[in-house]
């Protein structure tokens, strides 16, 4: 089955979002200062704090973000509103710096999760479905390639393939039992896999805040860039999923890969 030009154009747009440079490159492009300098300014235990904070943030977001949302699909997503909310949450983080991360990150991640679910809903997803909820969590692993990444290891479909089993098992578990047992091994396994990739983006953000010329701009601007990045990942991800619903995974992947030639 061949994909018509109109939908192929949507796929081309999705690919342009998903395969664009990662967060670190976007921060450098905006501020003109490489964030590598920031890593040297962080405390010795910074990686442990980022790891625990990302795990907590994703767990909180998965439990809280979608519960109160209107379940009707097809509504226009409120991308700008969510940018403002995340920017506001970043203001405190920018003022207090790295020590505020364990408090600020769960808040901003929950808002981003709502934005991701909002985008999913706008692309026709039923956000009450366990599979859609897991697809929303999956977005946090889609950081986009960094400047030194091997595309064969960081491509969109490669990342999805690596998470596929964990996503499927977690969705099946939620369909049977809901979120009553949040410490279930299948849920913990998915969160851990996503957190290992999401933590890279968080590390780049906190390193950027440690660079004087960037940190002076405050957490709000960085957080707005942060959510904008994951909104792009979400838009691309759910466009691809929408097209997969029409044409099948294999046909969409084949066309997606063909766009790179």
């Amino acid at each position: 089955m061949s994909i018509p030009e109109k939908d192929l154009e949507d796929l081309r747009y999705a690919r342009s979002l998903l395969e664009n440079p990662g967060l670190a490159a976007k921060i450098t492009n905006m501020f003109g200062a490489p964030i590598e300098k920031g890593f040297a300014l962080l405390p010795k235990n910074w990686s442990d704090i980022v790891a625990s904070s990302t795990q907590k943030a994703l767990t909180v977001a998965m439990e809280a973000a979608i519960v109160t949302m209107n379940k009707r699909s097809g509504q226009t997503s409120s991308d700008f509103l969510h940018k403002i909310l995340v920017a506001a949450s970043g203001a405190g983080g920018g003022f207090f710096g790295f020590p505020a991360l364990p408090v600020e990150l769960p808040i901003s991640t929950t808002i981003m999760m709502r934005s991701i679910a909002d985008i999913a809903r706008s692309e026709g997803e039923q956000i009450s479905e366990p599979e859609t909820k897991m697809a929303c969590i999956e977005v946090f692993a889609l950081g986009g390639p960094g400047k030194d990444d091997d595309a064969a290891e960081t491509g969109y479909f490669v990342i999805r393939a690596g998470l596929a089993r964990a996503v499927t098992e977690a969705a099946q578990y939620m369909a049977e039992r809901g979120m009553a047992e949040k410490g279930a091994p299948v849920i913990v396994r998915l969160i851990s896999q996503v957190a290992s990739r999401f933590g890279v983006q968080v590390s780049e953000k906190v390193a950027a805040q440690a660079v004087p010329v960037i940190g002076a701009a405050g957490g709000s601007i960085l957080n707005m860039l942060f959510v904008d990045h994951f909104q792009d990942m979400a838009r691309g991800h759910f466009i691809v999923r929408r097209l997969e619903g029409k044409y099948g995974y294999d046909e969409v992947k084949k066309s997606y890969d063909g766009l790179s030639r």
Side-chain angles (χ1 to χ4, degrees):
M1 181 189 300
S2 61
I3 300 178
E5 183 58 34
K6 180 180 181 300
D7 284 340
L8 196 60
E9 189 61 32
D10 285 349
L11 185 61
R12 189 174 290 110
Y13 174 59
R15 189 184 185 283
S16 73
L17 295 173
L18 293 164
E19 305 296 345
N20 263 347
L23 181 65
K26 293 177 182 178
I27 291 172
T28 299
N29 288 341
M30 173 172 280
F31 292 98
I35 65 173
E36 286 82 357
K37 296 178 181 179
F39 286 106
L41 302 175
L42 294 174
K44 291 183 178 180
N45 64 336
W46 70 266
S47 60
D48 293 334
I49 295 174
V50 167
S52 62
S53 296
T54 51
Q55 287 266 1
K56 175 185 175 183
L58 289 171
T59 301
V60 169
M62 186 167 68
E63 293 174 4
I66 306 177
V67 174
T68 60
M69 289 186 69
N70 187 308
K71 303 302 188 291
R72 288 183 298 172
S73 64
Q75 298 179 341
T76 303
S77 59
S78 303
D79 295 357
F80 184 71
L81 172 62
H82 289 112
K83 283 187 177 74
I84 296 300
L85 292 174
V86 171
S89 76
F95 182 79
F96 292 105
F98 184 74
L101 182 69
V103 176
E104 185 270 328
L105 187 62
I107 297 172
S108 60
T109 303
T110 298
I111 298 170
M112 286 197 296
M113 179 67 168
R114 283 186 68 89
S115 181
I116 289 166
D118 198 23
I119 290 169
R121 181 176 59 182
S122 75
E123 292 294 337
E125 298 270 358
Q126 298 294 328
I127 61 172
S128 60
E129 294 294 324
E131 183 183 351
T132 301
K133 292 178 182 178
M134 296 304 99
C136 289
I137 285 290
E138 197 175 14
V139 169
F140 289 102
L142 305 175
K147 63 180 182 179
D148 300 320
D149 286 338
D150 180 348
E153 297 179 356
T154 61
Y156 167 70
F157 277 100
V158 174
I159 294 172
R160 278 184 65 187
L163 292 172
R165 181 176 178 181
V167 168
T168 299
E169 289 178 348
Q172 290 175 344
Y173 180 90
M174 284 190 65
E176 295 171 0
R177 306 190 188 187
M179 287 298 297
E181 298 179 41
K182 62 184 179 181
V186 291
I187 302 293
V188 172
R189 183 159 54 248
L190 175 61
I191 291 293
S192 296
Q193 286 186 241
V194 173
S196 67
R197 299 193 66 89
F198 181 47
V200 174
Q201 315 299 317
V202 174
S203 297
E204 291 168 345
K205 184 175 87 78
V206 298
Q209 287 178 284
V211 178
V213 68
I214 298 178
S220 293
I221 296 175
L222 274 170
N223 264 29
M224 188 170 288
L225 186 61
F226 196 49
V227 68
D228 182 72
H229 176 73
F230 282 102
Q231 284 177 342
D232 284 349
M233 296 297 108
R235 182 65 65 186
H237 182 47
F238 287 108
I239 288 174
V240 170
R241 280 176 54 88
R242 170 166 57 80
L243 295 175
E244 287 174 355
K246 295 174 68 174
Y247 306 107
Y249 175 90
D250 291 338
E251 183 62 35
V252 172
K253 183 178 184 302
K254 177 182 175 182
S255 296
Y256 185 100
D257 291 342
L259 293 173
S260 64
R261 300 188 184 99

